Amino acid sequence: MDFLADGFRRAFALLFSGDAEVYGIALLTTKVALIATALACAAGIPAGFALASRPFWGRRAALTVVNTALAFPTVVVGLLLYGLLSRRGPLGSLRLLYTWPAIVIGDVFLAFPVAAALSAAAVQGVDPRIRRTAQTLGAGAWRTAWAVAREARFALAAVLTAAFGQTVAEVGAAMIVGGNIRGSTRTLTTAVALYASQGEFGLALALGIILVVLALVVNVGLQLLQGRGRA
Amino acid sequence: MLELRGVRHRYNGRVVLELDTFSVTAGAQIAIVGHNGSGKSTLLRILALLERPSEGEVLLDGRPVSDLRPQGPWAPRRHVTLVEQQPVLFRGKVSDNLGYGLRVRGVRRSAVNQRVAEVAERFALTRLLGRHSHELSDGEVQRVAVARALAVEPDILLLDEPASAADRAAAHALYHALAEERQRRSFAICLASHQLEDAYRWGDDIRALAEGRLSPVTPENLFRVELPEAAVGALKHARVGPLTIAVVTERSGPAILAIPATDIVVSKERVPSSARNVFAGRVTRLARERPGAVHVTADVGVDLVAVVSEEAVSDLGLSPGGGAVFAFKASAVRVF
């Protein structure tokens, strides 16, 4: 128990000391997560709409792929991406391996299925009369999609939350393609894994607390937005 | 204006609609009657261009709708507006809902506000404009949905069971508002209902749908008549072709008489009874629309349809070409 209590004491001391390394890691994690969430949702939510909105050849197969991808092991995605980005890989010339954009790419691959599958479910949950009503009143494709999105906005906000949760908590791919380089590609999750393995329990715990606070802040922010739009 | 040609529509391989032709002309007042599941809603969705038929063509002003789609599927749709059986309102205020169709057409905000105020006044919705959609009763939702559809001034308004969510008073108010709207501006109405009364009230062209097909046995027994003035309480007699039909009503002037097919008693010979209307003629057709019920059409000077049981057909020996007497009480005749 002492060991745990000592860990918490160190964690709070670090948090309030304004340690540059700790806050640098937190900032990088936030940046990576926000960019990856934005990219994954920008592609995943329209894909989810397309999957849910109208039947097309291969739709069921596409849904199965997306749903299967939800359970894709992050380290496997990391390995595949490593193969693509390494010097001998087809995208090696981009020199992205062991950079933070590589972590973003890995996170996007992992969060895209989350955004697509959950937004497809959100759209499928909207009363089909909403779409028909918008169409019969003369709305085009975009206006109709917007009408559906407005009805599903709470579920779509949950998509953002889930995608952010996926990117901020991801460790396997970030470790492999980011390399966990101090001051460059070290994120909260990779740092926690490293410090815990080195016995730096207090430091690992401090970073873990920041991670939880970060997720909490984003969730509270989204809930506040949902509250404003509840009318 | 809007026409279906050779339309067949399938759900999961099952044919749910099969129409050689179906047209809605400018300014028409069409009532489609049929039981639940007869294909009315599917037909309306195809007419509203919300569903493409599995086979066949939909023509708007003589041009296949598929030719008009390159402009965008919404271009032909903007001529036709459907109000579903249980309409939904978008989240937001009643005023937002009423202005939706105008906003998607790019109408300026000031013009939208003006049109919304006008249509709200005509449908007695002005006091509801600031309310949120989830605060409305079913009847109010129905009225807002119809007003929202009319705000865009469609050439054809399709109504699916418009009175189903409303009580009789609300339904009456809705029909009254629609009638006023038609006086203000000419547009076609195509109404689907399982209630003959709604059809009689609305349609000057009544079409029956059964199992996805236009039924040859229409819920006819409908006659346009001129009712004479008469003393209160006295029977009135209306001329229908060569027949004189006794009616209990206080109305006079132009009217539609509806004789419910189930209220006609069929016999082989005239029998003394309280029925004031007794007509002899020849059976022209026997149709079995649903198990156990036979639609007997007889030419008694005009075509009359009666619904009797299979057992009655057998007992009376009814068959095409044979004689039959149709009798119904003056009080059974409905006047619209």
Side-chain angles (χ1 to χ4, degrees):
Chain A
M1 282 304 286
D2 285 351
F3 151 77
L4 200 62
D6 184 51
F8 272 107
R9 264 196 299 278
R10 271 202 74 188
F12 282 106
L14 266 169
L15 283 174
F16 291 108
S17 69
D19 185 288
E21 185 180 354
V22 169
Y23 282 94
I25 292 170
L27 277 176
L28 176 70
T29 305
T30 309
K31 178 170 78 175
V32 165
L34 287 176
I35 293 172
T37 301
L39 292 175
C41 288
I45 291 177
F49 264 75
L51 286 171
S53 296
R54 62 174 60 184
F56 57 85
W57 190 87
R59 176 193 182 195
R60 188 169 292 190
L63 268 170
T64 306
V65 168
V66 165
N67 285 327
T68 307
L70 284 174
F72 226 65
T74 61
V75 283
V76 175
V77 171
L79 272 175
L80 290 172
L81 202 57
Y82 182 88
L84 288 171
L85 298 178
S86 66
R87 275 193 191 172
R88 286 175 298 170
L91 302 176
S93 58
L94 297 175
R95 296 183 176 279
L96 286 173
L97 195 63
Y98 302 137
T99 64
W100 68 263
I103 306 175
V104 169
I105 294 170
D107 283 351
V108 168
F109 271 104
L110 288 164
F112 172 82
V114 174
L118 293 187
S119 55
V123 171
Q124 281 170 336
V126 173
D127 189 327
R129 290 174 300 171
I130 290 290
R131 172 181 298 278
R132 292 200 298 265
T133 302
Q135 288 175 335
T136 198
L137 289 170
W142 288 108
R143 288 275 200 168
T144 302
W146 181 245
V148 171
R150 276 198 59 177
E151 299 301 316
R153 64 187 188 277
F154 299 136
L156 290 176
V159 172
L160 291 176
T161 311
F164 183 80
Q166 170 73 48
T167 55
V168 82
E170 198 284 312
V171 58
M175 190 74 91
I176 294 173
V177 297
N180 197 18
I181 301 166
R182 187 176 187 180
S184 169
T185 59
R186 184 162 295 171
T187 63
L188 284 168
T189 50
T190 58
V192 167
L194 177 72
Y195 293 136
S197 68
Q198 289 178 345
E200 294 271 5
F201 188 72
L203 190 52
L205 198 59
L207 296 170
I209 289 170
I210 293 176
L211 194 59
V212 171
V213 169
L214 194 59
L216 191 70
V217 166
V218 169
N219 272 297
V220 169
L222 280 169
Q223 278 188 9
L224 287 174
L225 277 176
Q226 287 181 20
R228 280 181 62 188
R230 198 168 289 277
Chain B
M1 184 192 288
L2 189 62
E3 188 181 355
L4 307 185
R5 275 192 203 158
V7 160
R8 282 164 75 93
H9 197 57
R10 297 185 191 84
Y11 284 136
N12 300 323
R14 193 172 68 88
V15 175
V16 293
L17 196 68
E18 191 168 7
L19 299 168
D20 290 337
T21 59
F22 190 100
S23 59
V24 181
T25 52
Q29 262 183 265
I30 298 168
I32 304 164
V33 291
H35 298 290
N36 289 336
S38 60
K40 301 188 300 290
S41 298
T42 305
L43 171 58
L44 289 191
R45 284 200 293 273
I46 289 175
L47 287 172
L49 311 176
L50 295 173
E51 281 186 39
R52 289 190 202 194
S54 311
E55 285 175 34
E57 258 187 334
V58 184
L59 296 97
L60 184 66
D61 293 330
R63 290 178 64 192
V65 167
S66 49
D67 288 356
L68 302 167
R69 285 192 194 276
Q71 299 164 37
W74 60 92
R77 270 190 208 131
R78 288 184 177 179
H79 295 270
V80 193
T81 307
L82 168 68
V83 179
E84 299 206 41
Q85 181 172 358
Q86 288 174 315
V88 287
L89 300 183
F90 300 120
R91 280 180 203 275
K93 293 179 180 175
V94 168
S95 55
D96 299 330
N97 272 276
L98 293 181
Y100 183 85
L102 298 168
R103 288 197 302 277
V104 301
R105 282 165 172 75
V107 177
R108 281 181 301 112
R109 184 189 289 252
S110 58
V112 169
N113 292 341
Q114 190 185 337
R115 290 266 285 277
V116 165
E118 286 168 5
V119 80
E121 193 178 341
R122 293 202 299 275
F123 279 80
L125 293 168
T126 306
R127 68 183 175 83
L128 300 180
L129 280 176
R131 291 247 197 108
H132 285 277
S133 53
H134 62 265
E135 297 170 347
L136 305 183
S137 69
D138 287 349
E140 287 168 336
V141 167
Q142 183 86 29
R143 208 145 37 101
V144 172
V146 173
R148 178 177 64 182
L150 284 170
V152 297
E153 303 200 334
D155 298 324
I156 301 172
L157 176 68
L158 305 170
L159 297 165
D160 194 357
E161 303 276 4
S164 63
D167 56 35
R168 291 315 295 170
H172 185 75
L174 184 67
Y175 287 136
H176 184 70
L178 280 170
E180 284 193 343
E181 198 70 17
R182 272 175 62 86
Q183 282 179 348
R184 201 181 66 84
R185 189 179 72 84
S186 172
F187 60 95
I189 289 188
C190 190
L191 170 149
S193 178
H194 69 279
Q195 292 179 329
L196 285 179
E197 197 174 328
D198 283 342
Y200 294 157
R201 194 182 297 279
W202 256 105
D204 48 15
D205 178 357
I206 296 178
R207 303 176 193 182
L209 206 58
E211 292 178 357
R213 296 176 184 185
L214 283 174
S215 168
V217 177
T218 54
E220 286 293 351
N221 300 348
L222 285 183
F223 305 104
R224 286 189 181 282
V225 295
E226 189 72 24
L227 287 169
E229 296 284 347
V232 174
L235 278 185
K236 288 188 177 175
H237 294 88
R239 295 289 299 175
V240 175
L243 308 182
T244 302
I245 293 180
V247 186
V248 178
T249 180
E250 289 178 8
R251 279 184 57 174
S252 57
I256 292 175
L257 301 189
I259 305 156
T262 47
D263 286 354
I264 296 178
V265 174
V266 181
S267 57
K268 287 299 278 184
E269 295 173 349
R270 288 175 186 271
V271 287
S273 76
S274 62
R276 296 299 86 194
N277 297 293
V278 182
F279 306 111
R282 297 219 160 267
V283 175
T284 55
R285 191 166 189 278
L286 296 177
R288 288 159 175 86
E289 287 290 304
R290 57 181 194 276
V294 183
H295 292 244
V296 182
T297 308
D299 180 1
V300 295
V302 294
D303 274 354
L304 277 182
V305 180
V307 177
V308 299
S309 66
E310 193 73 66
E311 197 176 313
V313 170
S314 171
D315 284 353
L316 295 171
L318 296 176
S319 62
V325 175
F326 278 30
F328 51 94
K329 295 165 73 169
S331 58
V333 181
R334 304 171 86 168
V335 181
F336 298 99

mmCIF file with all atom_site columns, all heavy atoms in Angstrom, chain B residues 42-59:
data_model
loop_
_atom_site.group_PDB
_atom_site.id
_atom_site.type_symbol
_atom_site.label_atom_id
_atom_site.label_alt_id
_atom_site.label_comp_id
_atom_site.label_asym_id
_atom_site.label_entity_id
_atom_site.label_seq_id
_atom_site.pdbx_PDB_ins_code
_atom_site.Cartn_x
_atom_site.Cartn_y
_atom_site.Cartn_z
_atom_site.occupancy
_atom_site.B_iso_or_equiv
_atom_site.pdbx_formal_charge
_atom_site.auth_seq_id
_atom_site.auth_comp_id
_atom_site.auth_asym_id
_atom_site.auth_atom_id
_atom_site.pdbx_PDB_model_num
ATOM 1   N N   . THR B 1 42 ? -46.876 2.360  -50.248 1.00 0.00 ? 42 THR B N   1
ATOM 2   C CA  . THR B 1 42 ? -45.830 2.127  -51.249 1.00 0.00 ? 42 THR B CA  1
ATOM 3   C C   . THR B 1 42 ? -46.125 2.941  -52.496 1.00 0.00 ? 42 THR B C   1
ATOM 4   O O   . THR B 1 42 ? -45.234 3.590  -53.064 1.00 0.00 ? 42 THR B O   1
ATOM 5   C CB  . THR B 1 42 ? -45.773 0.625  -51.617 1.00 0.00 ? 42 THR B CB  1
ATOM 6   O OG1 . THR B 1 42 ? -45.601 -0.120 -50.412 1.00 0.00 ? 42 THR B OG1 1
ATOM 7   C CG2 . THR B 1 42 ? -44.645 0.332  -52.565 1.00 0.00 ? 42 THR B CG2 1
ATOM 8   N N   . LEU B 1 43 ? -47.390 2.922  -52.912 1.00 0.00 ? 43 LEU B N   1
ATOM 9   C CA  . LEU B 1 43 ? -47.787 3.691  -54.098 1.00 0.00 ? 43 LEU B CA  1
ATOM 10  C C   . LEU B 1 43 ? -47.486 5.175  -53.883 1.00 0.00 ? 43 LEU B C   1
ATOM 11  O O   . LEU B 1 43 ? -46.923 5.839  -54.767 1.00 0.00 ? 43 LEU B O   1
ATOM 12  C CB  . LEU B 1 43 ? -49.280 3.473  -54.373 1.00 0.00 ? 43 LEU B CB  1
ATOM 13  C CG  . LEU B 1 43 ? -49.919 4.369  -55.436 1.00 0.00 ? 43 LEU B CG  1
ATOM 14  C CD1 . LEU B 1 43 ? -49.218 4.210  -56.773 1.00 0.00 ? 43 LEU B CD1 1
ATOM 15  C CD2 . LEU B 1 43 ? -51.404 4.056  -55.593 1.00 0.00 ? 43 LEU B CD2 1
ATOM 16  N N   . LEU B 1 44 ? -47.823 5.690  -52.705 1.00 0.00 ? 44 LEU B N   1
ATOM 17  C CA  . LEU B 1 44 ? -47.585 7.119  -52.455 1.00 0.00 ? 44 LEU B CA  1
ATOM 18  C C   . LEU B 1 44 ? -46.085 7.436  -52.453 1.00 0.00 ? 44 LEU B C   1
ATOM 19  O O   . LEU B 1 44 ? -45.666 8.475  -52.960 1.00 0.00 ? 44 LEU B O   1
ATOM 20  C CB  . LEU B 1 44 ? -48.212 7.545  -51.123 1.00 0.00 ? 44 LEU B CB  1
ATOM 21  C CG  . LEU B 1 44 ? -49.738 7.611  -51.080 1.00 0.00 ? 44 LEU B CG  1
ATOM 22  C CD1 . LEU B 1 44 ? -50.205 8.283  -49.809 1.00 0.00 ? 44 LEU B CD1 1
ATOM 23  C CD2 . LEU B 1 44 ? -50.307 8.359  -52.279 1.00 0.00 ? 44 LEU B CD2 1
ATOM 24  N N   . ARG B 1 45 ? -45.275 6.525  -51.895 1.00 0.00 ? 45 ARG B N   1
ATOM 25  C CA  . ARG B 1 45 ? -43.825 6.783  -51.875 1.00 0.00 ? 45 ARG B CA  1
ATOM 26  C C   . ARG B 1 45 ? -43.254 6.780  -53.300 1.00 0.00 ? 45 ARG B C   1
ATOM 27  O O   . ARG B 1 45 ? -42.323 7.517  -53.601 1.00 0.00 ? 45 ARG B O   1
ATOM 28  C CB  . ARG B 1 45 ? -43.104 5.758  -50.987 1.00 0.00 ? 45 ARG B CB  1
ATOM 29  C CG  . ARG B 1 45 ? -43.286 6.050  -49.503 1.00 0.00 ? 45 ARG B CG  1
ATOM 30  C CD  . ARG B 1 45 ? -42.217 5.367  -48.673 1.00 0.00 ? 45 ARG B CD  1
ATOM 31  N NE  . ARG B 1 45 ? -42.344 3.929  -48.703 1.00 0.00 ? 45 ARG B NE  1
ATOM 32  C CZ  . ARG B 1 45 ? -43.102 3.223  -47.889 1.00 0.00 ? 45 ARG B CZ  1
ATOM 33  N NH1 . ARG B 1 45 ? -43.793 3.825  -46.948 1.00 0.00 ? 45 ARG B NH1 1
ATOM 34  N NH2 . ARG B 1 45 ? -43.160 1.917  -47.979 1.00 0.00 ? 45 ARG B NH2 1
ATOM 35  N N   . ILE B 1 46 ? -43.810 5.929  -54.149 1.00 0.00 ? 46 ILE B N   1
ATOM 36  C CA  . ILE B 1 46 ? -43.344 5.926  -55.549 1.00 0.00 ? 46 ILE B CA  1
ATOM 37  C C   . ILE B 1 46 ? -43.812 7.201  -56.251 1.00 0.00 ? 46 ILE B C   1
ATOM 38  O O   . ILE B 1 46 ? -43.042 7.837  -56.976 1.00 0.00 ? 46 ILE B O   1
ATOM 39  C CB  . ILE B 1 46 ? -43.832 4.651  -56.277 1.00 0.00 ? 46 ILE B CB  1
ATOM 40  C CG1 . ILE B 1 46 ? -43.060 3.442  -55.730 1.00 0.00 ? 46 ILE B CG1 1
ATOM 41  C CG2 . ILE B 1 46 ? -43.634 4.768  -57.782 1.00 0.00 ? 46 ILE B CG2 1
ATOM 42  C CD1 . ILE B 1 46 ? -43.526 2.113  -56.264 1.00 0.00 ? 46 ILE B CD1 1
ATOM 43  N N   . LEU B 1 47 ? -45.058 7.584  -55.993 1.00 0.00 ? 47 LEU B N   1
ATOM 44  C CA  . LEU B 1 47 ? -45.556 8.829  -56.593 1.00 0.00 ? 47 LEU B CA  1
ATOM 45  C C   . LEU B 1 47 ? -44.758 10.034 -56.093 1.00 0.00 ? 47 LEU B C   1
ATOM 46  O O   . LEU B 1 47 ? -44.554 11.004 -56.822 1.00 0.00 ? 47 LEU B O   1
ATOM 47  C CB  . LEU B 1 47 ? -47.040 9.027  -56.258 1.00 0.00 ? 47 LEU B CB  1
ATOM 48  C CG  . LEU B 1 47 ? -48.037 8.129  -56.991 1.00 0.00 ? 47 LEU B CG  1
ATOM 49  C CD1 . LEU B 1 47 ? -49.436 8.308  -56.410 1.00 0.00 ? 47 LEU B CD1 1
ATOM 50  C CD2 . LEU B 1 47 ? -48.052 8.404  -58.488 1.00 0.00 ? 47 LEU B CD2 1
ATOM 51  N N   . ALA B 1 48 ? -44.297 9.958  -54.842 1.00 0.00 ? 48 ALA B N   1
ATOM 52  C CA  . ALA B 1 48 ? -43.514 11.066 -54.271 1.00 0.00 ? 48 ALA B CA  1
ATOM 53  C C   . ALA B 1 48 ? -42.066 11.034 -54.741 1.00 0.00 ? 48 ALA B C   1
ATOM 54  O O   . ALA B 1 48 ? -41.272 11.883 -54.340 1.00 0.00 ? 48 ALA B O   1
ATOM 55  C CB  . ALA B 1 48 ? -43.575 11.011 -52.747 1.00 0.00 ? 48 ALA B CB  1
ATOM 56  N N   . LEU B 1 49 ? -41.728 10.033 -55.561 1.00 0.00 ? 49 LEU B N   1
ATOM 57  C CA  . LEU B 1 49 ? -40.379 9.852  -56.106 1.00 0.00 ? 49 LEU B CA  1
ATOM 58  C C   . LEU B 1 49 ? -39.363 9.596  -55.001 1.00 0.00 ? 49 LEU B C   1
ATOM 59  O O   . LEU B 1 49 ? -38.184 9.938  -55.117 1.00 0.00 ? 49 LEU B O   1
ATOM 60  C CB  . LEU B 1 49 ? -39.965 11.076 -56.953 1.00 0.00 ? 49 LEU B CB  1
ATOM 61  C CG  . LEU B 1 49 ? -40.995 11.519 -57.981 1.00 0.00 ? 49 LEU B CG  1
ATOM 62  C CD1 . LEU B 1 49 ? -40.532 12.786 -58.690 1.00 0.00 ? 49 LEU B CD1 1
ATOM 63  C CD2 . LEU B 1 49 ? -41.271 10.431 -59.006 1.00 0.00 ? 49 LEU B CD2 1
ATOM 64  N N   . LEU B 1 50 ? -39.826 8.988  -53.928 1.00 0.00 ? 50 LEU B N   1
ATOM 65  C CA  . LEU B 1 50 ? -38.924 8.629  -52.834 1.00 0.00 ? 50 LEU B CA  1
ATOM 66  C C   . LEU B 1 50 ? -38.422 7.204  -53.007 1.00 0.00 ? 50 LEU B C   1
ATOM 67  O O   . LEU B 1 50 ? -37.420 6.817  -52.417 1.00 0.00 ? 50 LEU B O   1
ATOM 68  C CB  . LEU B 1 50 ? -39.638 8.754  -51.479 1.00 0.00 ? 50 LEU B CB  1
ATOM 69  C CG  . LEU B 1 50 ? -40.060 10.164 -51.092 1.00 0.00 ? 50 LEU B CG  1
ATOM 70  C CD1 . LEU B 1 50 ? -40.891 10.151 -49.824 1.00 0.00 ? 50 LEU B CD1 1
ATOM 71  C CD2 . LEU B 1 50 ? -38.830 11.052 -50.908 1.00 0.00 ? 50 LEU B CD2 1
ATOM 72  N N   . GLU B 1 51 ? -39.157 6.413  -53.766 1.00 0.00 ? 51 GLU B N   1
ATOM 73  C CA  . GLU B 1 51 ? -38.717 5.054  -54.075 1.00 0.00 ? 51 GLU B CA  1
ATOM 74  C C   . GLU B 1 51 ? -38.826 4.874  -55.576 1.00 0.00 ? 51 GLU B C   1
ATOM 75  O O   . GLU B 1 51 ? -39.779 5.359  -56.188 1.00 0.00 ? 51 GLU B O   1
ATOM 76  C CB  . GLU B 1 51 ? -39.609 4.013  -53.389 1.00 0.00 ? 51 GLU B CB  1
ATOM 77  C CG  . GLU B 1 51 ? -39.285 3.814  -51.937 1.00 0.00 ? 51 GLU B CG  1
ATOM 78  C CD  . GLU B 1 51 ? -40.066 2.679  -51.301 1.00 0.00 ? 51 GLU B CD  1
ATOM 79  O OE1 . GLU B 1 51 ? -40.270 1.642  -51.963 1.00 0.00 ? 51 GLU B OE1 1
ATOM 80  O OE2 . GLU B 1 51 ? -40.472 2.837  -50.154 1.00 0.00 ? 51 GLU B OE2 1
ATOM 81  N N   . ARG B 1 52 ? -37.853 4.152  -56.131 1.00 0.00 ? 52 ARG B N   1
ATOM 82  C CA  . ARG B 1 52 ? -37.952 3.827  -57.553 1.00 0.00 ? 52 ARG B CA  1
ATOM 83  C C   . ARG B 1 52 ? -38.631 2.478  -57.672 1.00 0.00 ? 52 ARG B C   1
ATOM 84  O O   . ARG B 1 52 ? -38.273 1.543  -56.955 1.00 0.00 ? 52 ARG B O   1
ATOM 85  C CB  . ARG B 1 52 ? -36.562 3.723  -58.169 1.00 0.00 ? 52 ARG B CB  1
ATOM 86  C CG  . ARG B 1 52 ? -35.870 5.046  -58.286 1.00 0.00 ? 52 ARG B CG  1
ATOM 87  C CD  . ARG B 1 52 ? -34.621 4.878  -59.120 1.00 0.00 ? 52 ARG B CD  1
ATOM 88  N NE  . ARG B 1 52 ? -33.690 5.951  -58.817 1.00 0.00 ? 52 ARG B NE  1
ATOM 89  C CZ  . ARG B 1 52 ? -32.645 6.236  -59.565 1.00 0.00 ? 52 ARG B CZ  1
ATOM 90  N NH1 . ARG B 1 52 ? -32.396 5.517  -60.635 1.00 0.00 ? 52 ARG B NH1 1
ATOM 91  N NH2 . ARG B 1 52 ? -31.828 7.217  -59.242 1.00 0.00 ? 52 ARG B NH2 1
ATOM 92  N N   . PRO B 1 53 ? -39.593 2.361  -58.580 1.00 0.00 ? 53 PRO B N   1
ATOM 93  C CA  . PRO B 1 53 ? -40.232 1.056  -58.731 1.00 0.00 ? 53 PRO B CA  1
ATOM 94  C C   . PRO B 1 53 ? -39.238 0.028  -59.271 1.00 0.00 ? 53 PRO B C   1
ATOM 95  O O   . PRO B 1 53 ? -38.322 0.398  -60.014 1.00 0.00 ? 53 PRO B O   1
ATOM 96  C CB  . PRO B 1 53 ? -41.355 1.332  -59.737 1.00 0.00 ? 53 PRO B CB  1
ATOM 97  C CG  . PRO B 1 53 ? -40.958 2.568  -60.450 1.00 0.00 ? 53 PRO B CG  1
ATOM 98  C CD  . PRO B 1 53 ? -40.131 3.368  -59.494 1.00 0.00 ? 53 PRO B CD  1
ATOM 99  N N   . SER B 1 54 ? -39.427 -1.232 -58.880 1.00 0.00 ? 54 SER B N   1
ATOM 100 C CA  . SER B 1 54 ? -38.521 -2.282 -59.366 1.00 0.00 ? 54 SER B CA  1
ATOM 101 C C   . SER B 1 54 ? -38.599 -2.384 -60.880 1.00 0.00 ? 54 SER B C   1
ATOM 102 O O   . SER B 1 54 ? -37.612 -2.674 -61.547 1.00 0.00 ? 54 SER B O   1
ATOM 103 C CB  . SER B 1 54 ? -38.901 -3.631 -58.746 1.00 0.00 ? 54 SER B CB  1
ATOM 104 O OG  . SER B 1 54 ? -39.056 -3.519 -57.357 1.00 0.00 ? 54 SER B OG  1
ATOM 105 N N   . GLU B 1 55 ? -39.782 -2.171 -61.423 1.00 0.00 ? 55 GLU B N   1
ATOM 106 C CA  . GLU B 1 55 ? -39.974 -2.174 -62.881 1.00 0.00 ? 55 GLU B CA  1
ATOM 107 C C   . GLU B 1 55 ? -40.916 -1.034 -63.239 1.00 0.00 ? 55 GLU B C   1
ATOM 108 O O   . GLU B 1 55 ? -41.739 -0.639 -62.415 1.00 0.00 ? 55 GLU B O   1
ATOM 109 C CB  . GLU B 1 55 ? -40.648 -3.476 -63.348 1.00 0.00 ? 55 GLU B CB  1
ATOM 110 C CG  . GLU B 1 55 ? -39.765 -4.680 -63.371 1.00 0.00 ? 55 GLU B CG  1
ATOM 111 C CD  . GLU B 1 55 ? -40.561 -5.928 -63.724 1.00 0.00 ? 55 GLU B CD  1
ATOM 112 O OE1 . GLU B 1 55 ? -41.517 -5.830 -64.519 1.00 0.00 ? 55 GLU B OE1 1
ATOM 113 O OE2 . GLU B 1 55 ? -40.234 -6.985 -63.171 1.00 0.00 ? 55 GLU B OE2 1
ATOM 114 N N   . GLY B 1 56 ? -40.826 -0.597 -64.487 1.00 0.00 ? 56 GLY B N   1
ATOM 115 C CA  . GLY B 1 56 ? -41.783 0.408  -64.953 1.00 0.00 ? 56 GLY B CA  1
ATOM 116 C C   . GLY B 1 56 ? -41.227 1.812  -64.897 1.00 0.00 ? 56 GLY B C   1
ATOM 117 O O   . GLY B 1 56 ? -40.083 2.034  -64.492 1.00 0.00 ? 56 GLY B O   1
ATOM 118 N N   . GLU B 1 57 ? -42.053 2.729  -65.334 1.00 0.00 ? 57 GLU B N   1
ATOM 119 C CA  . GLU B 1 57 ? -41.616 4.112  -65.488 1.00 0.00 ? 57 GLU B CA  1
ATOM 120 C C   . GLU B 1 57 ? -42.495 5.073  -64.712 1.00 0.00 ? 57 GLU B C   1
ATOM 121 O O   . GLU B 1 57 ? -43.704 4.862  -64.576 1.00 0.00 ? 57 GLU B O   1
ATOM 122 C CB  . GLU B 1 57 ? -41.715 4.507  -66.967 1.00 0.00 ? 57 GLU B CB  1
ATOM 123 C CG  . GLU B 1 57 ? -40.396 4.503  -67.685 1.00 0.00 ? 57 GLU B CG  1
ATOM 124 C CD  . GLU B 1 57 ? -40.530 5.070  -69.085 1.00 0.00 ? 57 GLU B CD  1
ATOM 125 O OE1 . GLU B 1 57 ? -41.632 5.000  -69.666 1.00 0.00 ? 57 GLU B OE1 1
ATOM 126 O OE2 . GLU B 1 57 ? -39.539 5.601  -69.571 1.00 0.00 ? 57 GLU B OE2 1
ATOM 127 N N   . VAL B 1 58 ? -41.873 6.122  -64.239 1.00 0.00 ? 58 VAL B N   1
ATOM 128 C CA  . VAL B 1 58 ? -42.620 7.224  -63.628 1.00 0.00 ? 58 VAL B CA  1
ATOM 129 C C   . VAL B 1 58 ? -42.400 8.436  -64.520 1.00 0.00 ? 58 VAL B C   1
ATOM 130 O O   . VAL B 1 58 ? -41.248 8.778  -64.832 1.00 0.00 ? 58 VAL B O   1
ATOM 131 C CB  . VAL B 1 58 ? -42.117 7.531  -62.204 1.00 0.00 ? 58 VAL B CB  1
ATOM 132 C CG1 . VAL B 1 58 ? -42.974 8.609  -61.559 1.00 0.00 ? 58 VAL B CG1 1
ATOM 133 C CG2 . VAL B 1 58 ? -42.114 6.281  -61.347 1.00 0.00 ? 58 VAL B CG2 1
ATOM 134 N N   . LEU B 1 59 ? -43.478 9.043  -64.953 1.00 0.00 ? 59 LEU B N   1
ATOM 135 C CA  . LEU B 1 59 ? -43.354 10.205 -65.853 1.00 0.00 ? 59 LEU B CA  1
ATOM 136 C C   . LEU B 1 59 ? -43.909 11.452 -65.179 1.00 0.00 ? 59 LEU B C   1
ATOM 137 O O   . LEU B 1 59 ? -44.962 11.398 -64.533 1.00 0.00 ? 59 LEU B O   1
ATOM 138 C CB  . LEU B 1 59 ? -44.117 9.970  -67.162 1.00 0.00 ? 59 LEU B CB  1
ATOM 139 C CG  . LEU B 1 59 ? -43.598 8.827  -68.037 1.00 0.00 ? 59 LEU B CG  1
ATOM 140 C CD1 . LEU B 1 59 ? -44.404 7.576  -67.793 1.00 0.00 ? 59 LEU B CD1 1
ATOM 141 C CD2 . LEU B 1 59 ? -43.667 9.216  -69.488 1.00 0.00 ? 59 LEU B CD2 1
#
